Amino acid sequence: MKVSIIGAGRLGATLAYTLTLKDIVREVTLIDINRNLSRGEMLDISHGISLTGHTRVRTAEYDSVKNADIIVITAGIPRKPGESRLDLNKKNVHILKDIVSNIVKYNKSAILFVVSNPVDIMTYVAYKVSGFERKKVFGMGTMLDTTRLRSAIGSYFNLNPKDVDIMFLGEHGDSMTPVFSLASINSVPLSSIPGYDKKKLEEMAEYYKTCAAEVIALKGGTIFAPAIVMAEIVESMVKDRRQIMPLSVYLEDYYGINGIYTGVPAILSKDGIEDVIKLPLNKKEIEGLKDSASIIQNAIKDLRDSGFIE
């Protein structure tokens, strides 16, 4: 398989590096408006491939996406300290539209995996501009946030975080909602595990809704955890694992939510989004998801009213 990464900034380059360590794809292509940057990152990664495997990293122009199987879009203006992801809405929509327009000139069959923020809205824009079928366009959704929370809960109980099963749903942003009603560790409900403290876990979830802001303030951006999550998503497609992940997908009548992209569990295969899973949420979780969805709906409406999208 071939993966093209649009955006050779710190996040795109780190994804390329991580994919070479995994050695799961034939080729990774870096495309960036700053050709010197993409070439520099390509050279730096390539100089170590004799120790990593067979994955080749190249830099090229948009015409190189013509035979890509998966196209990952990371390009965009990053968050600054004090900004929310939604603050990037109008800043990044022009960039995203231009990227997708260039992609479809050369490839109309690849899977579009959107990471640029605000990811739910940018994924919606990518879907509309590309004309691709819905299963071929998805965003990172709340997979990163879920990974952060699972890691923290595993540490809290001093248990393997890979066994933690909990999800954030909704916007990849401050309004996402955790699903504690179904949470478990290796099928054991959290409430049955020694040390369980409902209040502390809820406080933990609140922190991990916004923890990226702390990282941005300290080092200028979140890079390593997002790259690990992105590589996991790519690997799941490459190996056709058919995993269930909380990704940003198009919703139709999901607890009354329609016509937007947001984070809910979906089955991911080599062909993209195979199905969307409707969880049996409790009343509080349903309300939280709907409130989160309304923020995305309002942001899309604002883009339409301002003439940014049709």
Side-chain angles (χ1 to χ4, degrees):
M1 272 192 167
K2 175 180 174 179
V3 176
S4 289
I5 302 171
I6 314 296
R10 289 193 294 170
L11 186 53
T14 306
L15 171 60
Y17 170 68
T18 306
L19 289 175
T20 62
L21 293 180
K22 284 180 173 287
D23 196 27
I24 55 170
V25 298
R26 170 177 51 85
E27 181 179 323
V28 175
T29 304
L30 281 170
I31 300 170
D32 196 281
I33 192 171
N34 184 341
R35 185 65 185 272
N36 286 338
L37 174 65
S38 60
R39 178 167 171 77
E41 297 290 10
M42 176 273 290
L43 289 172
D44 195 11
I45 297 168
S46 296
H47 291 164
I49 61 170
S50 65
L51 298 176
T52 59
H54 301 288
T55 300
R56 295 295 180 265
V57 181
R58 307 186 190 282
T59 183
E61 303 295 340
Y62 273 104
D63 59 358
S64 69
V65 306
K66 61 181 178 293
N67 58 349
D69 301 288
I70 301 167
I71 301 174
V72 186
I73 303 174
T74 69
I77 298 170
R79 287 170 67 188
K80 297 177 181 177
E83 278 190 320
S84 73
R85 295 179 182 92
L86 285 175
D87 290 331
L88 303 177
N89 201 19
K90 292 178 181 178
K91 292 181 181 180
N92 280 336
V93 67
H94 287 306
I95 297 171
L96 198 288
K97 287 170 68 177
D98 184 62
I99 288 169
V100 175
S101 295
N102 277 300
I103 288 170
V104 298
K105 290 178 185 177
Y106 303 103
N107 192 325
K108 293 183 172 65
S109 60
I111 296 169
L112 297 184
F113 171 21
V114 181
V115 182
S116 307
N117 277 317
V119 70
D120 302 289
I121 298 157
M122 294 302 105
T123 307
Y124 176 87
V125 172
Y127 165 62
K128 288 293 185 180
V129 173
S130 69
F132 286 13
E133 57 182 316
R134 292 170 190 167
K135 69 181 293 182
K136 293 283 190 176
V137 184
F138 71 92
M140 187 157 64
T142 53
M143 182 62 182
L144 171 58
D145 314 287
T146 291
T147 300
R148 288 169 171 154
L149 184 57
R150 288 175 176 175
S151 299
I153 289 176
S155 296
Y156 174 78
F157 286 110
N158 195 24
L159 294 172
N160 189 342
K162 288 187 176 182
D163 290 339
V164 178
D165 190 4
I166 188 171
M167 290 182 182
F168 274 118
L169 302 184
E171 175 208 7
H172 174 51
D174 298 352
S175 70
M176 71 185 88
T177 188
V179 181
F180 275 110
S181 66
L182 302 173
S184 66
I185 299 181
N186 204 10
S187 299
V188 178
L190 292 188
S191 58
S192 299
I193 298 174
Y196 172 78
D197 186 317
K198 180 181 179 182
K199 183 179 179 181
K200 285 185 179 179
L201 291 173
E202 288 176 345
E203 290 173 350
M204 187 182 298
E206 285 299 312
Y207 170 74
Y208 282 97
K209 286 183 182 181
T210 59
C211 67
E214 181 180 6
V215 180
I216 292 168
L218 290 170
K219 58 172 279 188
T222 58
I223 307 300
F224 297 115
I228 291 170
V229 170
M230 292 156 61
E232 177 72 11
I233 291 169
V234 170
E235 183 173 11
S236 184
M237 285 187 280
V238 170
K239 296 183 177 179
D240 198 23
R241 288 175 174 167
R242 300 185 60 81
Q243 287 178 266
I244 296 175
M245 297 178 172
L247 303 169
S248 187
V249 296
Y250 192 89
L251 296 187
E252 289 182 303
D253 194 23
Y254 197 99
Y255 287 106
I257 302 167
N258 291 283
I260 66 166
Y261 274 80
T262 196
V264 298
I267 299 173
L268 182 66
S269 77
K270 62 180 176 57
D271 298 315
I273 302 299
E274 289 295 331
D275 211 344
V276 176
I277 308 297
K278 190 172 183 179
L279 294 175
L281 305 176
N282 64 31
K283 183 178 179 181
K284 179 181 177 182
E285 292 160 352
I286 293 170
E287 290 174 353
L289 178 59
K290 286 183 174 181
D291 288 345
S292 187
S294 69
I295 290 172
I296 298 168
Q297 289 166 336
N298 289 337
I300 291 172
K301 182 178 184 300
D302 182 47
L303 287 178
R304 284 204 189 98
D305 293 345
S306 303
F308 286 89
I309 59 174
E310 297 180 1

